[in-house]
Amino acid sequence: DAGVIQSPRHEVTEMGQEVTLRCKPISGHDYLFWYRQTMMRGLELLIYFNNNVPIDDSGMPEDRFSAKMPNASFSTLKIQPSEPRDSAVYFCASSPSSGNTEAFFGQGTRLTVV
Amino acid sequence: GENVEQHPSTLSVQEGDSAVIKCTYSDSASNYFPWYKQELGKRPQLIIDIRSNVGEKKDQRIAVTLNKTAKHFSLHITETQPEDSAVYFCAVPMTTDSWGKLQFGAGTQVVVTP
């Protein structure tokens, strides 16, 4: 198994541009999580899905952030418009449907907004 | 919501010595306590976890102890080696339906000096 796959690994964009981050969870995992990591706030959960349905998006910082999961093997996190304070590493993670097992993290996308 | 406090924020040890990191949590209903290791530029990876029905768990040089009454759990690394240098995060699930929905501690930067 290739694990959780995220793309791109690095993204540099100008303020005001739209940014789309992508995630492919581990096959068979029904839970998908988007986390953000910054020096100031550490690792924080943004949103998570169960069976492609968003369950809790209370961690999404602003309306500029949106996430979708159109099918079991793909999710996107979009920021529109992007701002410099959105610069962070964004991690996608997935876990099996039983719920009571660890979450496996992708390699992350390092986003820099200039 | 769950509040997780982790100490110390940095820990410098001589190779061969032991390292101990402690986390306290607020929700007494929590029943799963993982520790993640994150090397520079890489993803968080689970290194050990403990469930609430046991007080201690060991895996080679690492161990985790849990005190549910006091609501704290600790990571112990014995005979530290340079490759143990990393940031370590404790975490507690924010919900009972998935252990992937995690509240992370702020992290401990461990530096092992030869």
Side-chain angles (χ1 to χ4, degrees), chain A residues 14-111:
Chain A
E14 291 186 347
M15 181 174 63
Q17 296 297 307
E18 176 179 297
V19 176
T20 299
L21 312 181
R22 297 172 175 78
C23 175
K24 176 180 168 52
I26 294 173
S27 178
H29 283 192
D30 291 340
Y31 283 89
L32 184 139
F33 309 86
W34 282 101
Y35 284 88
R36 179 172 69 174
Q37 186 173 35
T38 61
M39 288 296 294
M40 291 297 294
R41 299 176 67 87
L43 271 162
E44 52 182 344
L45 179 69
L46 301 178
I47 185 172
Y48 81 101
F49 296 82
N50 182 23
N51 291 320
N52 314 337
V53 176
I55 303 301
D56 184 352
D57 65 354
S58 59
M60 297 284 261
E62 300 173 35
D63 291 345
R64 298 184 296 106
F65 287 70
S66 62
K68 295 181 179 179
M69 192 165 186
N71 56 62
S73 60
F74 183 65
S75 176
T76 60
L77 178 67
K78 185 179 293 186
I79 309 172
Q80 166 65 15
S82 58
E83 296 183 4
R85 59 196 168 118
D86 302 330
S87 298
V89 181
Y90 291 81
F91 288 102
C92 176
S94 69
S95 68
S97 58
S98 68
N100 291 341
T101 187
E102 69 177 285
F104 295 83
F105 282 76
Q107 294 279 30
T109 295
R110 180 173 294 278
L111 173 65

Side-chain angles (χ1 to χ4, degrees), chain B residues 14-61:
Chain B
Q14 291 279 348
E15 183 177 357
D17 288 348
S18 296
V20 181
I21 306 169
K22 181 176 177 179
C23 276
T24 60
Y25 60 96
S26 58
D27 187 353
S28 58
S30 299
N31 59 4
Y32 172 69
F33 307 91
W35 284 92
Y36 284 80
K37 176 183 180 182
Q38 186 178 29
E39 297 177 351
L40 187 63
K42 298 195 175 179
R43 76 184 89 186
Q45 290 193 286
L46 181 75
I47 55 170
I48 194 168
D49 56 22
I50 191 169
R51 303 188 186 192
S52 59
N53 57 346
V54 297
E56 183 176 9
K57 181 178 178 181
K58 290 183 179 179
D59 183 2
Q60 299 181 23
R61 295 186 299 105

Side-chain angles (χ1 to χ4, degrees), chain B residues 68-88:
Chain B
K68 284 219 73 179
T69 302
K71 291 191 281 188
H72 66 72
F73 58 112
S74 299
L75 177 70
H76 305 254
I77 308 173
T78 58
E79 301 173 28
T80 53
Q81 301 170 4
E83 54 264 38
D84 295 328
S85 296
V87 179
Y88 292 81

